[in-house]
Amino acid sequence: EGNLATNGVAIYIATAETEGSVAGTATITGATIINHSATTNGGAIYANGALNTNNTVFYKNSTKSQGGAIYASKTYTDEGSLFIENTAEGQSGAVQAGDKITLNKTQFIRNESTANRAGALLVTGKLEAIEVLFEGNKAKDNGGAVVITGADASVFDCCTFNENVSGNRACKASHGRARDSKRIFFGE
């Protein structure tokens, strides 16, 4: 609790791929990660490779750049975790990931991007969100809850968006296509 570093204060995952080998996937289950701060990316976790989290709490982590709680350069998968009051001075108050993000029953509550976009989540690839709660997230610019910049179609299935605010839009797909099924918006 309460550490400061350049990237990924609590956990820094540096996967190295060499010719003929593939980097593995890091998995974190049942952890509580509180009050860490990074000067660049990933307030709590920086993953240069695939990352899975399950039933983990990320609370009051921060970064001066991207991914208040998590910055994952490749794929990121979560089931049942809680992201609450994480902040980024750059973009993506809670999570920023590259290739693909898959979320199931994840909750994003009161996360904030104070100077840019994506209060909770920024995806530069494809997003698949199932029964995800986005509540009270804020961004100074676009996407109080979510910004998707990837070209792949993204899916919101049975997700709830409640009182997310931004200078522009609560949820934004700037390049890709978003398909939703039973998406519920309250107070946007």
Side-chain angles (χ1 to χ4, degrees):
E1 183 176 338
N3 295 306
L4 173 66
T6 302
N7 285 319
V9 177
I11 301 169
Y12 182 91
I13 302 161
T15 56
E17 293 185 17
T18 59
E19 190 173 320
S21 70
V22 178
T25 299
T27 300
I28 300 165
T29 301
T32 300
I33 302 173
I34 301 171
N35 199 30
H36 296 281
S37 183
T39 57
T40 56
N41 297 325
I45 297 173
Y46 178 91
N48 188 22
L51 174 65
N52 296 336
T53 56
N54 303 293
N55 302 311
T56 297
V57 176
F58 296 90
Y59 180 64
K60 289 197 174 195
N61 298 289
S62 64
T63 180
K64 296 208 179 277
S65 190
Q66 304 171 55
I70 294 174
Y71 180 90
S73 66
K74 305 287 183 196
T75 61
Y76 172 61
T77 301
D78 177 77
E79 183 157 347
S81 291
L82 172 63
F83 293 85
I84 187 166
E85 296 179 10
N86 298 287
T87 59
E89 289 181 25
Q91 58 191 17
S92 57
V95 176
Q96 180 166 335
D99 299 342
K100 181 181 179 183
I101 296 180
T102 304
L103 305 171
N104 186 12
K105 298 181 181 174
T106 307
Q107 298 179 57
F108 294 93
I109 300 171
R110 295 186 307 274
N111 298 286
E112 184 173 5
S113 170
T114 60
N116 206 322
R117 60 188 181 163
L121 183 62
L122 187 135
V123 185
T124 59
K126 180 181 180 177
L127 169 65
E128 182 177 313
I130 301 165
E131 295 182 34
V132 176
L133 171 66
F134 298 95
E135 184 171 298
N137 299 290
K138 295 183 202 176
K140 183 176 181 182
D141 194 7
N142 293 320
V146 179
V147 170
I148 303 166
T149 63
D152 293 331
S154 292
V155 177
F156 294 92
D157 190 4
C158 298
C159 293
T160 301
F161 292 79
N162 187 22
E163 298 182 5
N164 299 289
V165 295
S166 71
N168 201 345
R169 295 180 216 154
C171 184
K172 180 180 181 185
S174 62
H175 296 292
R177 302 172 311 275
R179 177 179 65 81
D180 63 80
S181 168
K182 301 179 205 117
R183 184 170 49 163
I184 302 168
F185 288 88
F186 298 102
E188 299 299 319

